[in-house]
Amino acid sequence: MSSHKHLVAPPAPLLQPLSVPDRLLLGPGPSNPPPRILSAGGRQIIGHVHKEMIQIMADIKLGIQYAFQTQNPLTLAVSGTGHCAMEAAILNIVEQGDKVLVTVNGFWGERATDIAKRLGAEVHQLVKALGEYFTLEEIEKGLVQHTPVLLFITHGESSTGVLQPLDGLGDLCHRYNCLLLVDAVASLGGAPLLMDQQDIDILYSGSQKVLSAPPGASPISFSKRARNKIYGRKTKPVSFYLDMEELAKYWGCDDNLIRYHHTAPINTFFCLREALAIFAEKGLENSWKLHKENSLYLCTGLQKLGLQLFVKEPVGLRLQLTQGFQQSTLSLCLRDTTGKISLNIL
């Protein structure tokens, strides 16, 4: 083989040292991880089914249950970013021909629509103007009209900054035999989220937003109703990699012996474990309070500069109770009085 001529030379950029700028990240995510999380990611790799790794995964599961405020046994971290968790949530629940209702007031509703259509679902949309949220009356009309098996809604719509009220929504969906799927990628840890108390059936998030871990491991949880839908499918999910029945065996969610499914992103899981540990040490209430105060501080300061808030009801500046739940903002989308400047800030 040594006599063969190489057709591809060693790439010149790879012969140079890795260069990564040291930047302060101020968007919705990824966020700058603290040293403790970065240090965890640099630890020596262990096997993906070593007993120590299984224990770390058990720690992660407990941390997600705390962050989500749920006791669901089917709780784990998908080996992928928030987009991967979105796809896992939808493809495990939805079969070809199922009716799905998607709320669209920004980018993520459109993305969920695309995924559901690719699965062969009959997809209907409820559309609101950017910067607005959905009321219970609006959603109930959609449930009555379309009779979906699944409602998708985004808790923290990072493309516009709106935080969607969730109280009463799970009960409403269940009255119409519909499962509630909530995207909390941008909101987990930054605003109150109580999965079991709010009757959410499927909830997922990401590691790189408020949790401040590297992207690549996404918390997800399924209620008993959702689990029954998964285990009662007529057809298998189109993805083996994201099949929750198989992942449940790997994560020990079915009370049986751990069974290999795939090679997990080991060091990414180290980081997620530490991020959840920091979150648990800080406490839910303290995290929510900190983000609300920072949002108020930023809103007030930017308004003093003459900027107009795009989201109608920012945290702390204007509080409105609608249908018994609170509307607020998680991130901010702003423009100046001429409309020429647009900012999207977490």
Side-chain angles (χ1 to χ4, degrees):
M1 294 298 291
S2 61
S3 63
H4 287 242
K5 188 176 181 179
H6 293 168
L7 299 179
V8 180
L14 295 183
L15 301 179
Q16 303 297 320
L18 174 66
S19 177
V20 179
D22 188 3
R23 289 183 176 148
L24 176 63
L25 302 178
L26 296 175
S31 304
N32 294 105
R36 176 175 166 183
I37 294 176
L38 292 176
S39 177
R43 298 204 176 199
Q44 185 58 260
I45 293 177
I46 58 177
H48 52 285
V49 289
H50 284 172
K51 64 178 182 180
E52 296 86 357
M53 190 64 213
I54 298 302
Q55 181 58 55
I56 289 170
M57 292 168 66
D59 294 347
I60 289 172
K61 180 177 177 179
L62 291 172
I64 295 172
Q65 288 174 323
Y66 171 70
F68 282 8
Q69 285 296 285
T70 183
Q71 296 179 332
N72 293 333
L74 186 47
T75 299
L76 51 90
V78 174
S79 298
T81 62
H83 272 82
C84 189
M86 173 189 280
E87 193 143 15
I90 297 173
L91 72 83
N92 275 279
I93 296 296
V94 175
E95 296 187 76
Q96 188 168 6
D98 281 349
K99 293 182 181 180
V100 177
L101 182 60
V102 179
T103 60
V104 180
N105 59 346
F107 181 81
W108 302 112
E110 294 290 359
R111 182 58 56 87
T113 298
D114 188 355
I115 292 173
K117 284 183 176 180
R118 290 174 186 234
L119 295 170
E122 180 184 326
V123 184
H124 302 275
Q125 291 185 334
L126 286 180
V127 181
K128 292 281 286 190
L130 301 181
E132 297 183 4
Y133 66 97
F134 294 89
T135 66
L136 287 180
E137 287 92 351
E138 291 166 341
I139 293 173
E140 185 169 18
K141 288 179 182 178
L143 295 173
V144 171
Q145 180 179 356
H146 302 296
T147 62
V149 300
L150 181 71
L151 171 72
F152 172 92
I153 199 161
T154 306
H155 186 218
E157 178 51 75
S158 57
S159 68
T160 63
V162 170
L163 185 67
Q164 171 66 41
L166 296 176
D167 286 353
L169 189 52
D171 178 65
L172 177 63
C173 287
H174 298 155
R175 273 188 270 145
Y176 292 94
N177 297 314
C178 176
L179 297 173
L180 173 60
L181 166 57
V182 175
D183 177 313
V185 171
S187 60
L188 178 67
L193 188 62
L194 307 165
M195 185 175 188
D196 289 358
Q197 292 184 45
Q198 293 172 319
D199 290 323
I200 299 169
D201 292 298
I202 311 102
L203 180 64
Y204 67 87
S205 188
S207 57
Q208 77 278 15
K209 304 287 187 175
V210 179
L211 292 178
S212 299
S218 300
I220 193 168
S221 183
F222 295 81
S223 71
K224 183 178 180 180
R225 286 186 182 89
R227 185 167 182 163
N228 288 341
K229 178 70 165 67
I230 293 171
Y231 283 68
R233 291 175 62 101
K234 300 174 184 176
T235 58
K236 287 188 175 183
V238 295
S239 170
F240 176 83
Y241 186 69
L242 299 177
D243 186 333
M244 281 298 151
E245 275 200 72
E246 299 296 330
L247 288 173
K249 298 171 185 175
Y250 185 27
W251 282 83
C253 299
D254 53 8
D255 296 324
N256 294 320
L257 292 175
I258 303 296
R259 291 175 57 183
Y260 162 77
H261 178 260
H262 68 282
T263 302
I266 295 163
N267 291 59
T268 302
F269 280 2
F270 292 170
C271 293
L272 178 58
R273 191 268 182 201
E274 287 304 283
L276 289 166
I278 293 171
F279 187 60
E281 292 164 7
K282 181 186 299 182
L284 288 171
E285 297 289 346
N286 290 330
S287 182
W288 298 338
K289 181 174 181 289
L290 174 65
H291 284 81
K292 182 175 181 179
E293 289 174 349
N294 286 343
S295 178
L296 174 59
Y297 181 80
L298 182 61
C299 284
T300 303
L302 289 172
Q303 285 185 312
K304 288 180 180 178
L305 295 176
L307 291 164
Q308 178 184 347
L309 299 180
F310 181 71
V311 174
K312 306 292 188 299
E313 299 167 41
V315 168
L317 295 179
R318 181 181 173 192
L319 210 57
Q320 177 178 332
L321 296 181
T322 307
Q323 310 299 343
F325 50 79
Q326 179 177 312
Q327 155 68 2
S328 59
T329 59
L330 173 70
S331 57
L332 303 171
C333 197
L334 304 110
R335 61 191 176 198
D336 68 3
T337 53
T338 68
K340 293 181 180 179
I341 299 175
S342 179
L343 303 171
N344 187 11
I345 305 170
L346 181 65

